[in-house]
Amino acid sequence: MVAAVPFMLVFRFLHILAGVLWVGSAFLFVGFIGPSAAEVGPSAGPLLSVAVKKRKAAKVITGLGGVTVLAGWILWLHDMGLYGLGTWVTSRFGLVLTIGAALATIAAFEGSIGVGRNVERMVDLVDRVVASGGPPSPEQEAQIEHLGAELEKWGKIDLVLLVLAVTAMSTARYW
Ligand code: HEM
């Protein structure tokens, strides 16, 4: 069995490092890169294509969310083992952490499907438009508009969930 201090060092480090990278990159993508790309239109295509297809930005962000959530639930189980389920989830620290954990877990699924996958679809579509050399067909234009609206909606929901989760995580021990 791994001793408690090294265990906590490793998992808290992984949890918090992956968490800050996840939330920071989601904030940058949803708050700045997405809206800027929507503003400049298809000329943003090549940059987004390299970021998303070659450098796998969406998959890396999803992976960071996965590491945060997995390490978080391992820490949660460890703490539950120390206190016992009843005492842990009814303590203020345990309850606020559990609420934050649930919100972050929902954000990880919602973000990977609503944002990550839709960003990849959008990049594929814009790549096809750029490769055709002409303006987008009416059908492609409608698809781009639809995907853009989905990305905006799910991106905003993702950020709200993440801000609430970080608020709970960062303040849990002081309630
Ligand atoms: C938005 C993503 C998340 C971020 C940025 C984050 C950040 C943090 C931070 C900064 C702490 C330290 C709190 C303190 O010591 O007072 C913490 C602790 C903790 N987090 Fe998260 N967290 C996130 C998601 C999750 C998820 C999904 C879980 C799943 C259960 C989780 C479970 C925990 C647990 C159990 C602790 C307490 C560890 C201990 O006993 O010290 N977190 N988190």
Side-chain angles (χ1 to χ4, degrees):
M1 197 173 119
V2 188
V5 171
F7 172 89
M8 290 305 283
L9 274 174
V10 169
F11 281 95
R12 275 183 70 107
F13 171 71
L14 274 180
H15 179 63
I16 295 174
L17 178 68
V20 294
L21 292 176
W22 173 28
V23 179
S25 42
F27 177 65
L28 181 69
F29 235 96
V30 170
F32 296 93
I33 296 180
S36 307
E39 219 172 297
V40 300
S43 60
L47 175 78
L48 282 184
S49 184
V50 172
V52 172
K53 277 187 165 170
K54 188 172 172 208
R55 299 189 182 269
K56 313 251 177 275
K59 289 200 165 52
V60 170
I61 297 171
T62 297
L64 289 168
V67 172
T68 310
V69 168
L70 189 65
W73 283 112
I74 291 171
L75 287 166
W76 190 92
L77 285 172
H78 174 269
D79 288 352
M80 188 200 73
L82 288 181
Y83 299 103
L85 180 62
T87 315
W88 170 233
V89 290
T90 52
S91 71
R92 288 191 182 171
F93 181 48
L95 179 63
V96 177
L97 275 180
T98 305
I99 293 169
L103 293 170
T105 305
I106 295 169
F109 283 105
E110 178 271 317
S112 100
I113 296 163
V115 185
R117 254 196 236 166
N118 280 333
V119 163
E120 289 176 344
R121 282 194 193 124
M122 177 72 106
V123 167
D124 279 339
L125 186 57
V126 174
D127 275 357
R128 285 202 295 278
V129 173
V130 171
S132 74
S137 66
E139 194 195 319
Q140 285 172 325
E141 223 166 289
Q143 274 178 304
I144 290 175
E145 209 167 296
H146 171 72
L147 278 175
E150 289 289 294
L151 279 168
E152 195 183 334
K153 177 180 75 186
W154 293 116
K156 281 182 182 161
I157 293 174
D158 195 44
L159 282 191
V160 170
L161 288 170
L162 288 175
V163 167
L164 291 175
V166 173
T167 305
M169 285 290 146
S170 58
T171 61
R173 67 175 67 233
Y174 303 104
W175 288 86

